Every structure is written in C-alpha cells, then in structure tokens.
Amino acid sequence: MDADAAASLVLEHTPILSAERIALVDAAGRVLAEDIVAAASLPAFPSSAVDGYAFRAADSGKSLRVVGESAAGRPFDHAVEPGGAIRILTGGVLPAGADCVVMMEDVQLSGDVVTVPAGLKPGQNFHAPGADLRAGERVLPAGVSLGAAEIGLAAALGLAELPVGGRPRVALLSTGDELVEVGKTPGQGQIPDSNRWALLAALREAGAEVRLLGIGPDEPDALRQLVVEALAGADVLVTSGGVSVGTHDLIKPLLESLGDVHVGRVKLKPGKPFTFATLPGQKLAFGLPGFPVSSLVTFEVFVRPALRKMQGHAQLQRPTLPVRLGYDARATADRTEYQRVTLRREGGELVASSTGSQSSSRLMSLAGAHALVRIPPGDHGIGTGTMVEAMILSLP
Ligand code: AMP
Ligand code: MG
C-alpha cells in the first residue's frame, strides 16, 4: 500500500479519547479539549504600567497636591479631584477621576506637591480594562498544546482546572529471541533491546502513557498471552520486530487473530513491513519493523499522528518545509523514501546534508538529524540543488 494511503487509513481508524478535567499543576504538554472563552476582561481594572503619579491629563504642566497612594493590591479609595494627584505604583488601580499616569522620573516633588510635565494625554502609562483581552473573546482554541503561555493565560483568567484530551495508554513490546536487557552482556548472536528505549522516548514525547512489556519471545503462544494481558489496560499496542515474512515473524498472524489488519506492508523506505490493525474496543495495534531506524521512521509517519489525534491535537503532523538537497540522492522504485539529513541555513534557504549511510539498522543516520526528507518513488537520480519536502524534527 502507498505510504500516504496507509497514513490516512491509520488516522481514519484512530478514535479521539474522551476528555477529562485536570488541575493546572498537571497541564503542561496536554491538549486543550474545549475552547477557552474569557469570562472577564484583562486587566479587570485600569492598572498602572509604571511607578509615578496619577492625575487628570487636563492638569498637565501644573503643580498638584498629592492626596494619597495606590499600590499593587492596595487601591486608593477616593476619586482624584482637579488639581490633585496620587502616587501610584506599577499594578496599582488608577482611581476614579484620574485619566493618566506620569513616570516618577519625569516629575519634581517638593513636600506633598508634585509638578508634572505639560502635554500628557488621557490614557498614558496605564493599561485600560480589556486592553489585554476582552470578556467573551476566545482566548485559546480546542486542540492547542498547553505550554507555558497557554497555562499562564488560563491561570490569569482564574481557571484552576482545564478540560484536556485523554492520554493514550500504550503497551510497548519488543520481540525477538536475539534481544537481551540493556545492561546485560549479550551472548553469541544477541543484541541489546534498543528499540524499547528509543520508542519509549518517542512515545512519551508524543504524549503517551507507556507500559513496558519488555521482550517477547519468538513463540506464538507466549507472545499471544503477553499481548492479550497487556491490552486489557491499554488503548494502543506498539510492537517492534517480527513483522517481516520470516518464519519467526509472528506479529501479523497474531494481530489477524485478534482483530482486523488494515495495513500489512507499505511502499515506504525504511519501513516496508509496517503493520497496522484495529482490535476490539477501539484499540489500535502498530507492528513496527525491528530495524531501529525503520521502527522510528514508521513511528514518525504513522504512530505519532495517531497518538496526537487521540489526544485531540489540532496539528497532527510535524511541520514540513521545502529544503534544497545538498547531495545527490536516488529515488527508490515504487517506494517513498525518508532520508535522514542535517540542515544548514544558506542565503535564506535550508540546505540538507545526508547523515551518511541510510541503512535501516544504522541509528547513526537518525541521531542528530534535523529532518526526514521525502524522496518520492521513482527510478531516477535526484541531483544536488533539487527542492524536496522535509519533515522537520528540529531546526539548526
Ligand atoms: P525483525 O523485524 O524481527 O526481523 O528484525 C529486524 C532486525 O531488527 C533484526 O536485525 C533484529 O535483530 C533487529 N531488532 C529487532 N528488534 C530489535 C530491538 N528491540 N532492538 C534492536 N534491534 C532489534
Ligand atoms: Mg525478529
């Protein structure tokens, strides 16, 4: 199946999890589930932007009697009369009667008389009510990621809890008799289970709550038992390895027996054996290829957007940018290829350099890569200087 068709199919089958309410302390990285509409304007009162004196702009250029003070949180309770002024501090409420503030540095003070410069206009040096945002305004749309500014905004509006999309619970399983726990010395023909840790990091970055199932053997019954047990408490199963067509590749038949396999092979490099199934209870299963780069590239192309959809993100895909190839590439017949590159800026453009051998076992091709450039299928060279689309992982 075509890679784009497979990606669309995955999203079609991906449910949006039910929303929940959470306290601000847990909000970072979550996805807002409903629009936030301001119940009140900000600031709620006319608030001084500087330390200085509040008075009537009509009294500019005069000597005024200082009749009181308005500090942050401690308002002056009376009106300012013509010919009067009050000392005001940043964040202090502008009292009735006053319509401007002059900075402390710009006045002359003698006892309780302040001489203010001429030419001040109403509205100067304070924030009018609603200057930052108005009651009734939609301040945050559903689907945004809650970062520092968004959480700060919610807090400024007095919201102690926010409605957020549910976090997908993912069960993560590595398969293969050659795998050993990282930290143990591999025996003859054995390798450390590196995919578990790479995928755990990728899953967490994508907002998932991960349960590690460890290493599953290349043995159908044991594998089945592990998976069935894990699915009870999970929305998504992610496996790596065991999806090609070797005799020890048990994931596809297992998923076929548990649910419906929608994708069993994609025209994608790396990642041809990528497998996707839906399981009873609106659960998803992703059988990622075992080769470390293949598992992470298929994660990027298929799994990450699905996890984002489940959480209610408006933006499912990584950003893409046109970049100029800084090396000679060759398209692969009948397969879309994602080549790993670093980027550099050159005369207002982004230029891509290959990270070297693009072997699907070579994690060095992905470590430190800024982007995956998309090489459409074909049987031809794509020369240095060609513009291609890049899925941006980070910018230099
Ligand atoms: P498979 O898809 O099971 O045929 O595995 C393809 C290749 O990926 C083999 O060389 C495996 O040893 C390797 N591989 C599979 N699973 C892992 C893993 N968890 N960590 C590192 N390499 C793996
Ligand atoms: Mg295997």
Side-chain angles (χ1 to χ4, degrees):
M1 185 184 298
D2 181 73
D4 287 342
S8 304
L9 202 56
V10 168
L11 288 177
E12 259 169 51
H13 283 98
T14 301
I16 296 174
L17 300 177
S18 16
E20 55 184 327
R21 294 190 72 81
I22 53 150
L24 288 186
V25 69
D26 296 317
R30 301 293 296 265
V31 185
L32 192 63
E34 293 164 20
D35 289 354
I36 300 285
V37 174
S41 294
L42 287 185
F45 53 83
S47 165
S48 184
V50 296
D51 291 339
Y53 292 84
F55 61 101
R56 294 168 183 252
D59 285 340
S60 283
K62 297 184 185 164
S63 293
L64 309 173
R65 236 170 72 78
V66 180
V67 296
E69 182 182 274
S70 174
R74 293 186 203 179
F76 175 69
D77 286 335
H78 310 281
V80 171
E81 305 294 336
I86 61 152
R87 186 173 143 77
I88 194 164
L89 299 160
T90 305
V93 183
L94 192 78
D99 61 8
C100 77
V101 177
V102 61
M103 279 200 279
M104 201 134 82
E105 296 87 321
D106 296 342
V107 303
Q108 277 178 346
L109 189 65
S110 153
D112 62 356
V113 173
V114 65
T115 304
V116 297
L120 273 117
K121 304 263 175 329
Q124 267 186 289
N125 292 321
F126 71 91
H127 302 295
D132 292 349
L133 62 89
R134 293 192 174 278
E137 196 179 325
R138 187 181 75 161
V139 293
L140 292 171
V144 295
S145 211
L146 293 169
E150 292 75 19
I151 293 169
L153 197 49
L157 288 168
L159 302 171
E161 287 186 345
L162 289 174
V164 295
R167 288 182 76 188
R169 297 164 306 160
V170 178
L172 176 62
L173 177 69
S174 303
T175 71
D177 287 339
E178 74 281 29
L179 302 176
V180 293
E181 293 291 335
V182 171
K184 276 198 185 161
T185 308
Q188 184 71 270
Q190 295 186 318
I191 58 169
D193 172 15
S194 65
N195 286 354
R196 185 197 314 179
W197 304 107
L199 289 169
L200 173 64
L203 285 162
R204 285 195 173 149
E205 188 277 336
E209 209 175 277
V210 185
R211 180 168 158 215
L212 293 173
L213 303 182
I215 301 165
D218 288 327
E219 201 283 303
D221 293 337
L223 211 53
R224 186 188 174 88
Q225 201 182 330
L226 248 175
V227 164
V228 168
E229 273 176 29
L231 277 170
D235 306 302
V236 179
L237 171 72
V238 173
T239 64
S240 76
V243 280
S244 19
V245 284
T247 41
H248 297 293
D249 293 324
L250 306 169
I251 293 295
K252 258 189 210 109
L254 173 60
L255 295 179
E256 269 158 6
S257 77
L258 295 174
D260 299 316
V261 173
H262 304 281
V263 180
R265 208 161 227 272
V266 277
K267 295 177 177 174
L268 179 65
K269 184 180 178 179
K272 187 162 67 175
F274 168 78
T275 298
F276 168 69
T278 48
L279 307 178
Q282 283 213 304
K283 300 182 192 224
L284 307 181
F286 295 93
L288 308 185
F291 281 117
V293 179
S294 310
S295 69
L296 286 179
V297 169
T298 50
F299 181 90
E300 284 298 329
V301 175
F302 303 113
V303 186
R304 189 175 184 275
L307 294 174
R308 288 174 71 87
K309 179 173 176 190
M310 293 177 112
Q311 294 165 80
H313 268 289
Q315 177 63 43
L316 304 185
Q317 310 296 338
R318 292 226 187 239
T320 58
L321 284 174
V323 304
R324 198 172 286 287
L325 267 193
Y327 61 100
D328 286 332
R330 197 166 178 86
T332 302
D334 218 29
R335 284 209 274 168
T336 300
E337 183 170 359
Y338 282 97
Q339 296 194 348
R340 284 77 71 197
V341 298
T342 55
L343 298 173
R344 64 177 192 279
R345 292 168 199 273
E346 218 175 87
E349 280 187 340
L350 289 167
V351 179
S353 304
S354 172
T355 52
S357 161
Q358 298 287 302
S359 161
S360 57
S361 63
R362 186 174 170 264
L363 267 182
M364 288 290 286
S365 71
L366 195 49
H370 292 124
L372 306 177
V373 296
R374 187 185 160 98
I375 308 289
D379 192 14
H380 52 271
I382 297 178
T384 300
T386 309
M387 293 303 289
V388 291
E389 183 188 288
M391 185 200 290
I392 305 296
L393 305 173
S394 64
L395 282 171

